[in-house]
Amino acid sequence: MYKNAKTGEIGNIKIEKGLFGRISNLMKQNVIPHLWEILNDRTKDTVPDHSIENFSIANGEEQEFPSHCIANFKIAAGLQEGDFYGMVFQDSDLAKWLEAAAYQLMAQPDQELEKKADDAIRLIGMAQQEDGYLNTYFTIKEPDKRFTNLCECHEFYCTGHMIEAAVAYYRATGKRELLDIMCDMVDCIDRTFGPEKGKLKGYPGHEEIELALVKLYRVTDDEKHLRLAKYFIDQRGQKPLYFDWEFEKRNHEAHFSYLYPPYGMYSNGSKYAQYHKPVREQEAFVGHAVRCMYLASGAVDVAKLTNDNALFDTCKKLYENMEGRRMYITGGVGSTPNGEMFTYDYDLPNDLVYGETCASIGLMFFMQRMLLVEQDSRYADTMERALFNTCIAGMSLDGKNFFYVNPLEVDPEASRENPNRKHVLPVRPAWFGCACCPPNLARMITSLAEYLYVVNGENVFVNLYMENQAKLDLDGMKAVFDVTTDYPYDGEITISIKQEAEFTFHLRIPKWCGNEYRIFINEAQVITDSVNGYAVLERDWKASDKITLALDMEPKRMYANPKVSKDVGKVAIQRGPVVYCLEEVDNGAGLQQVYLPVDSKLKVVDRPDKLEGIKEIYTEGFKLVNKGAENLYTAKPDYKFKKIPLIFIPYYAWANRGENEMTVWVHEKN
């Protein structure tokens, strides 16, 4: 099972055209520079009124929330006066920016960007304590309380993100400064926590360090890092529960603060942070969705490196429950704003959903790792669903505004007036008080090349389709090829071999396509075996060979399991991997009154002039109108169906034309 599978190197895979070529260019030209300005408090962006778990527009007012992230490091380093400001995990914003910058440098050298990163790393080193400890919140705010509230205070979470940045920057530049800084911090943690006598038996409140330690192990070959990652996974949920002991030791002092957490996460209970039972005994994701995804990602990493079949089987079980019962059609996960959590099977409300952008990004991390262990197209299908829908919906088309929450149904009035829906925003804010999502999206998009392929021996598994040029290192040879396609708007993918080599292509046949696909080699159709959802093409490839995969892209009506109560009697439209939605700007107000006939034809219309170039879907439907009196209830309703045109657009492109209604699921009419 545990073969030496690997991803392609970012510098050897160029994504320069198509949908993700445009998005990648946005990251380089707009997003990474813009995030840097925000981290340095050099912008005047405003964000919605901030509350503990969500971001409200209920009062119709926006407030400024500076990042203060760089300022926190300067204060911790003694370079300026002031107090800590922001979330207790504010350090992670800089870490994620550094990681995104590192991936961008892998793709394309940039002296100015590298200098900014070097300056930031130098500042981080100045903020580090003599014993290796690094965390600006505790250094500034509570220097005598470090490692006393792992449940709520995110010390290991911030460490994990900074480790990931250090590893990425080392890979990009060969510079060890941040890597050495984080090795010292890990040594500080290792001296304090572990199974050995005299050490504390704690583990992270917010998982993330587990997968980061594995990355650190891979570049340092220091077994200590892998052992510590394994310890955190094995110790989680063991009795007596560490966070209960920790809470008792703090004399029941729970803290509540809007701007300076900890803010009472312990009161959410053990399921919230996945320590209700040992990891190997867990059968479904519960609690905070992002935590779940990071825990699973770290667990797969540890299972792979330690040949732990039982742990990997647990990860498969968790995946199967999530994919089959707890994931939105858009690849969103986390169905309630209360704790940003998973709840129970088939609980997938459209208008109350949380669907945090970070959670779908975390889902991609999880799926990438599952594919490295087991090349099964199910994981790539899930990764694709998250990427082409929720993940890129998390950013506006111009790269200047971001969603934290990704709903499937929005009424702006409800967002303003109903406290239960105040987390559901009809427009993307420029920034957040809790700004985890924008830099997380930046680091995922800039590292996207690592998600396209899995290389296992002399086998190349193609997991995601997009235009790119690839040079992959196989066992003793190279696979050099270009992929040309307008996917996801066109189902034809052409792979042009650029260098002679003998290896096997495994082309993913998406589940949404079924058996409606054709494969050609040099224009001659071929019939191939399919293994675990991949079409297998084994050949001594010549430099002039061309492979063409033609996928059926007819729009499909999608239906939810009837146990999903909110979607009974409703239909959604999907074309290829892209889920579609209705927006008020195209279809008028009152989308809850729209019905789509079962036999209406779905016409695909090319719109290069709209929303940065899309394929919209045109059809005819009905709107339910009340011809009688405007009574709230009546025994004799006078409802009529009015025939109307309907225009569906890709879900990722909604909320780019001002505040308006939106819905993914529509009533179906027989």
Side-chain angles (χ1 to χ4, degrees):
M1 183 192 301
Y2 304 112
K3 299 288 181 67
N4 189 29
K6 58 186 179 180
T7 62
E9 289 290 329
I10 290 173
N12 292 330
I13 300 172
K14 305 295 183 184
I15 304 170
E16 298 173 334
K17 296 181 180 179
L19 174 61
F20 281 97
R22 183 185 66 78
I23 294 173
S24 296
N25 190 58
L26 270 180
M27 287 295 165
K28 174 188 173 184
Q29 299 293 342
N30 295 0
V31 179
I32 292 175
H34 182 59
L35 296 183
W36 178 249
E37 294 300 300
I38 288 174
L39 294 174
N40 283 277
D41 301 316
R42 293 198 287 254
T43 69
K44 295 185 179 299
D45 291 326
T46 58
V47 301
D49 181 30
H50 176 265
S51 67
I52 289 176
E53 292 180 339
N54 45 54
F55 310 94
S56 172
I57 59 169
N59 297 323
E61 298 177 356
E62 291 187 332
Q63 301 177 9
E64 287 195 25
F65 279 90
S67 166
H68 209 253
C69 188
I70 295 294
N72 287 337
F73 278 96
K74 288 180 178 178
I75 294 166
L79 299 178
Q80 74 178 49
E81 297 294 322
D83 198 0
F84 180 91
Y85 178 89
M87 294 291 177
V88 73
F89 44 83
Q90 207 80 344
D91 291 4
S92 65
D93 290 353
L94 176 57
K96 284 182 272 191
W97 181 87
L98 277 168
E99 189 180 355
Y103 292 135
Q104 185 59 50
L105 290 171
M106 289 183 205
Q108 186 176 1
D110 183 326
Q111 290 184 351
E112 182 181 353
L113 179 60
E114 188 171 343
K115 183 183 184 305
K116 289 176 181 176
D118 286 342
D119 290 345
I121 290 168
R122 194 171 301 113
L123 176 61
I124 291 167
M126 295 175 70
Q128 187 170 34
Q129 304 300 291
E130 289 186 6
D131 64 351
Y133 183 81
L134 178 65
N135 185 286
T136 67
Y137 172 82
F138 282 98
T139 298
I140 298 169
K141 199 79 176 170
E142 298 183 285
D144 60 335
K145 298 287 181 64
R146 67 187 199 181
F147 295 146
T148 62
N149 190 351
L150 299 185
C151 180
E152 299 170 328
C153 285
H154 290 67
E155 283 162 286
F156 291 167
Y157 171 83
C158 290
T159 299
H161 276 301
M162 201 64 80
I163 289 171
E164 289 199 82
V167 171
Y169 202 67
Y170 174 69
R171 288 175 54 202
T173 67
K175 297 177 181 178
R176 290 191 55 96
E177 184 177 357
L178 187 55
L179 197 67
D180 291 339
I181 288 169
M182 296 319 298
C183 284
D184 288 344
M185 175 57 172
V186 172
D187 287 345
C188 178
I189 293 171
D190 186 61
R191 288 192 298 269
T192 309
F193 297 91
E196 296 85 2
K197 184 177 180 181
K199 291 185 178 181
L200 295 174
K201 301 302 181 282
Y203 39 84
H206 192 313
E207 303 92 331
E208 149 60 39
I209 195 173
E210 298 88 341
L211 63 92
L213 285 166
V214 170
K215 287 187 176 183
L216 189 61
Y217 163 71
R218 286 182 170 134
V219 298
T220 64
D221 289 325
D222 189 337
E223 292 283 344
K224 169 179 59 187
H225 302 146
L226 179 58
R227 285 198 306 270
L228 191 57
K230 185 177 187 303
Y231 163 75
F232 285 142
I233 288 168
D234 289 341
Q235 185 63 22
R236 191 169 212 89
Q238 300 294 337
K239 294 183 178 180
L241 296 177
Y242 183 80
F243 294 153
D244 291 351
W245 172 85
E246 186 182 65
F247 187 66
E248 292 290 334
K249 198 169 187 296
R250 294 199 310 274
N251 298 316
H252 302 275
E253 293 180 1
H255 301 273
F256 296 88
S257 169
Y258 288 111
L259 295 178
Y260 299 106
Y263 41 70
M265 288 182 180
Y266 176 78
S267 64
N268 288 329
S270 59
K271 288 184 177 180
Y272 171 78
Q274 300 78 49
Y275 66 95
H276 55 296
K277 60 175 67 174
V279 172
R280 286 173 173 79
E281 296 177 16
Q282 297 183 25
E283 297 181 344
F285 285 126
V286 296
H288 189 265
V290 179
R291 284 171 165 83
C292 289
M293 296 301 102
Y294 287 173
L295 172 61
S297 298
V300 177
D301 280 340
V302 169
K304 184 177 191 294
L305 288 171
T306 61
N307 288 304
D308 191 332
N309 288 24
L311 183 57
F312 183 71
D313 287 344
T314 295
C315 294
K316 285 182 68 172
K317 186 184 301 182
L318 291 169
Y319 164 74
E320 287 163 359
N321 175 265
M322 177 205 67
E323 192 273 340
R325 301 181 180 187
R326 300 190 178 196
M327 183 179 73
Y328 284 90
I329 192 172
T330 54
V333 288
S335 56
T336 176
N338 295 322
E340 307 173 346
M341 296 193 294
F342 286 98
T343 53
Y344 57 93
D345 289 352
Y346 305 110
D347 180 38
L348 297 167
N350 299 307
D351 57 344
L352 295 173
V353 57
Y354 210 73
E356 184 182 344
T357 302
C358 277
S360 289
I361 293 169
L363 176 56
M364 288 192 62
F365 298 159
F366 179 26
M367 293 301 93
Q368 180 201 40
R369 287 161 171 80
M370 293 294 282
L371 283 163
L372 286 170
V373 176
E374 184 176 81
Q375 287 82 61
D376 188 318
S377 68
R378 294 182 303 163
Y379 310 133
D381 284 340
T382 300
M383 183 165 66
E384 179 182 67
R385 184 177 295 278
L387 175 63
F388 280 88
N389 296 291
T390 294
C391 288
I392 57 175
M395 184 177 73
S396 61
L397 295 177
D398 62 6
K400 296 180 179 179
N401 300 81
F402 303 89
F403 271 144
Y404 193 104
V405 174
N406 292 278
L408 282 76
E409 180 181 322
V410 175
D411 178 346
E413 186 176 13
S415 297
R416 283 191 295 270
E417 305 298 337
N418 187 332
N420 292 329
R421 290 169 177 77
K422 63 183 179 179
H423 63 289
V424 178
L425 304 184
V427 292
R428 294 174 182 83
W431 199 246
F432 305 97
C434 173
C436 54
C437 295
N440 214 12
L441 186 60
R443 73 183 183 125
M444 187 274 287
I445 294 294
T446 50
S447 64
L448 189 56
E450 294 187 335
Y451 296 77
L452 271 58
Y453 306 105
V454 165
V455 175
N456 193 342
E458 296 180 356
N459 299 276
V460 175
F461 292 82
V462 186
N463 296 316
L464 294 174
Y465 295 113
M466 61 188 68
E467 184 137 335
N468 69 94
Q469 299 84 48
K471 297 178 182 178
L472 305 180
D473 292 322
L474 309 183
D475 286 349
M477 71 183 81
K478 286 187 181 294
V480 183
F481 55 90
D482 292 348
V483 177
T484 305
T485 183
D486 193 27
Y487 192 88
Y489 292 127
D490 191 294
E492 185 169 298
I493 301 115
T494 299
I495 301 174
S496 301
I497 310 300
K498 297 298 181 181
Q499 181 173 306
E500 183 175 315
E502 185 178 355
F503 61 92
T504 303
F505 265 121
H506 301 255
L507 305 182
R508 179 176 64 93
I509 307 302
K511 183 179 179 181
W512 53 258
C513 185
N515 292 320
E516 299 299 320
Y517 69 94
R518 293 178 297 164
I519 297 175
F520 301 85
I521 297 179
N522 299 328
E523 299 185 358
Q525 187 171 354
V526 297
I527 306 299
T528 69
D529 293 331
S530 180
V531 179
N532 293 331
Y534 293 88
V536 181
L537 302 175
E538 185 176 3
R539 192 179 176 102
D540 187 358
W541 301 101
K542 308 300 181 186
S544 59
D545 285 340
K546 288 186 184 295
I547 305 167
T548 300
L549 172 63
L551 303 171
D552 174 46
M553 297 292 282
E554 284 298 310
K556 289 180 170 60
R557 287 171 164 82
M558 303 295 292
Y559 301 90
N561 187 304
K563 292 181 181 179
V564 182
S565 62
K566 303 302 182 183
D567 297 335
V568 172
K570 292 186 175 183
V571 62
I573 302 299
Q574 181 173 329
R575 182 176 184 266
V578 177
V579 174
Y580 277 68
C581 68
L582 295 177
E583 256 195 311
E584 178 185 347
V585 66
D586 294 315
N587 301 282
L591 296 181
Q592 79 280 4
Q593 298 163 239
V594 169
Y595 283 72
L596 180 65
V598 295
D599 57 354
S600 61
K601 297 188 180 302
L602 304 175
K603 180 182 178 182
V604 179
V605 180
D606 190 15
R607 290 297 305 271
D609 59 325
K610 184 175 181 178
L611 296 169
E612 298 293 339
I614 62 168
K615 301 269 191 184
E616 67 184 16
I617 296 174
Y618 174 87
T619 188
E620 291 188 340
F622 292 91
K623 187 171 185 180
L624 188 64
V625 294
N626 185 3
K627 295 294 186 180
E630 291 297 320
N631 296 327
L632 183 58
Y633 305 106
T634 181
K636 295 181 179 181
D638 187 12
Y639 299 152
K640 303 292 183 183
F641 282 105
K642 177 185 177 183
K643 200 168 188 177
I644 59 170
L646 294 177
I647 297 174
F648 289 82
I649 65 166
Y651 172 78
Y652 76 78
W654 87 276
N656 280 279
R657 295 174 291 173
E659 179 180 303
N660 70 152
E661 296 178 33
M662 182 276 293
T663 189
V664 169
W665 292 95
V666 182
H667 297 292
E668 189 169 56
K669 184 178 185 298
N670 290 317

